[in-house]
């Protein structure tokens, strides 16, 4: 753990001191045992969740350890879900930082806890916790939360999360998953809706990044389908941004896929614009060897002219 991460964990732990003091109070019976008895009698984890909500993270870990000893896996999962659904956002990172993977017990890695939080809590609360985790260097749980929102929440809420994190300076780097198959939009139709959501949320400046990263690592056909969907006049600037990303950033074989699709659909001028722009911008490129003969000849003429 880096020194910066250690500093954040220390701050979170200090914030839990009022709850730690409660552990030292005198009770007629051990509160953990009492909560376990009530939960067992009811067949419901609610008493354990109520107790854990008032206690510091190390107490929660002790409860999970005891559930593990008894093989009460269902209650352990219920506890993590219950805490995820109800724990105050500033307290989430401290508990998550103590929930690390083990080889023999699924819930103890905290994924269930942060996933439950991301699934039901307000997007502003999810953004708050993801931001705290990213600043503390805990990208793994942050990425799980982003992935959960992506898979479980309505598209408008997904867009709101992306916008807020982008505004917060995280770009598209949360857990290095925003470009992955598990998180990134799987179709150009969904991306188009996200673009419209970005604009409706008053954040058009995030659209170029959104477009530039769409389809990364996949066939350029994805980008061609998106380009065609962006035919509305309102989206002309987005189309141009897509062309710029092809010329400046996209791997060359994916550019060839895009150009070939454009040619097949009768858009020779667009294909030539992309190829000549790429050759001019990148100077040295083996791209010409993968082009249809007609475009390869046009590129050679362009080079001679330059």
């Amino acid at each position: 753990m880096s020194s910066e991460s250690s500093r954040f964990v220390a701050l979170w732990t200090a914030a839990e001191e009022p709850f730690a003091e409660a552990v030292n109070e005198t009770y007629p019976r051990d509160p953990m045992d009492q909560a376990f008895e009530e939960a067992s009698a009811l067949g419901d984890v609610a008493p354990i969740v109520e107790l854990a909500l008032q206690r510091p993270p190390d107490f929660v870990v002790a409860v999970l350890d005891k559930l593990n000893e008894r093989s009460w896996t269902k209650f352990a999962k219920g506890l993590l879900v219950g805490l995820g659904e109800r724990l105050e956002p500033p307290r989430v990172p401290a508990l998550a930082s103590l929930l690390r993977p083990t080889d023999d017990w699924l819930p103890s890695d905290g994924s269930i806890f942060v996933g439950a939080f991301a699934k039901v809590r307000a997007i502003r609360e999810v953004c708050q916790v993801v931001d705290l985790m990213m600043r503390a260097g805990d990208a793994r749980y942050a990425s799980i939360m982003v992935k959960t929102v992506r898979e479980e929440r309505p598209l408008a809420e997904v867009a709101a999360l992306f916008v807020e994190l982008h505004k917060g300076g995280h770009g598209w780097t949360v857990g290095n998953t925003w470009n992955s198959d598990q998180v990134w939009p799987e179709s150009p139709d969904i991306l188009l809706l996200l673009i419209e959501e970005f604009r409706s949320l008053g954040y058009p400046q995030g659209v170029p990044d959104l477009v530039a990263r769409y389809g990364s690592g996949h066939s350029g056909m994805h980008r061609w389908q998106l380009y065609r969907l962006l035919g509305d006049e309102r989206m002309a600037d987005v189309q141009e941004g897509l062309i710029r990303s092809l010329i400046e950033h996209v791997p060359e074989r994916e550019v060839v896929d895009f150009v070939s699709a454009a040619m097949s659909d009768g858009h020779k001028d667009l294909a030539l614009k992309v190829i000549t722009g790429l050759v001019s911008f990148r100077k040295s490129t083996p791209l010409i060897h993968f082009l249809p003969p007609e475009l390869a000849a046009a590129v050679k003429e362009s080079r001679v002219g330059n």
Side-chain angles (χ1 to χ4, degrees):
M1 182 179 291
S2 68
S3 59
E4 185 68 9
S5 298
S6 299
R7 187 174 71 85
F8 274 98
V9 171
L11 289 172
W12 292 329
T13 303
E16 292 288 342
E17 287 182 359
F19 298 94
E21 291 175 1
V23 179
N24 296 322
E25 294 176 7
T26 301
Y27 292 89
R29 283 195 295 161
D30 180 274
M32 190 188 303
D33 288 341
Q34 182 177 349
F36 274 46
E37 291 172 10
E38 292 176 4
S40 180
L42 294 171
D44 191 327
V45 74
I48 301 176
V49 174
E50 291 296 335
L51 175 66
L53 283 169
Q54 307 302 320
R55 299 308 178 91
D58 54 351
F59 183 89
V60 177
V61 172
V63 172
L64 288 169
D65 288 342
K66 192 165 185 177
L67 290 170
N68 184 25
E69 292 172 4
R70 298 189 180 190
S71 298
W72 288 9
T73 305
K74 183 178 178 181
F75 275 8
K77 179 178 179 180
L79 172 59
L80 292 171
V81 170
L83 291 173
E85 292 175 346
R86 297 176 58 188
L87 199 65
E88 297 93 333
R91 298 182 62 198
V92 170
L95 177 56
S97 69
L98 298 180
L99 297 174
R100 296 302 178 188
T102 62
D103 294 331
D104 58 351
W105 199 45
L106 174 65
S108 62
D109 70 354
S111 301
I112 293 173
F113 169 56
V114 298
F117 185 95
K119 186 175 181 178
V120 301
R121 304 294 285 266
I123 289 297
R124 60 178 173 75
E125 294 180 324
V126 177
C127 289
Q128 179 183 1
V129 172
V130 170
D131 178 72
L132 287 170
M133 289 180 168
M134 287 298 293
R135 295 185 188 281
D138 197 355
R140 185 170 72 94
Y141 282 142
S143 68
I144 289 171
M145 297 182 77
V146 172
K147 183 176 183 290
T148 301
V149 172
R150 163 70 183 83
E151 293 178 345
E152 303 285 350
R153 308 288 288 260
L155 186 67
E157 294 183 348
V158 175
L161 176 71
F162 284 11
V163 166
E164 288 306 311
L165 292 178
H166 202 268
K167 284 181 178 179
H170 298 299
W172 310 106
T173 62
V174 177
N176 293 320
T177 62
W178 290 44
N179 278 355
S180 74
D181 293 339
Q182 290 75 34
V183 174
W184 206 245
E186 66 274 10
S187 76
D189 304 85
I190 291 179
L191 187 71
L192 182 62
L193 293 174
L194 271 177
I195 290 170
E196 291 172 345
E197 288 289 347
F198 266 51
R199 290 185 160 188
S200 70
L201 290 168
Y203 195 65
Q205 58 267 46
V207 171
D209 276 350
L210 191 67
V211 171
R213 284 158 176 76
Y214 175 69
S216 179
H218 300 286
S219 168
M221 181 62 73
H222 289 77
R223 296 185 181 86
W224 174 244
Q225 293 169 347
L226 176 61
Y227 184 89
R228 294 183 63 186
L229 286 174
L230 294 170
D232 191 304
E233 289 183 2
R234 297 178 302 113
M235 296 290 183
D237 59 323
V238 183
Q239 272 190 332
E240 285 302 311
L242 175 56
I243 297 302
R244 284 195 302 274
S245 71
L246 287 166
I247 291 172
E248 299 177 9
H249 304 296
V250 173
E252 293 177 355
R253 291 303 297 264
E254 294 177 27
V255 177
V256 171
D257 290 339
F258 179 92
V259 166
S260 298
M263 286 286 289
S264 297
D265 280 0
H267 292 265
K268 178 182 175 181
D269 290 345
L270 174 62
L272 185 59
K273 175 182 177 181
V274 171
I275 292 301
T276 56
L278 184 146
V279 170
S280 175
F281 183 83
R282 305 191 192 186
K283 306 302 180 184
S284 175
T285 173
L287 178 67
I288 192 171
H289 301 298
F290 304 108
L291 293 173
E294 186 177 6
L295 281 179
V299 170
K300 287 180 180 178
E301 292 176 7
S302 173
R303 283 177 168 171
V304 171
N306 291 331

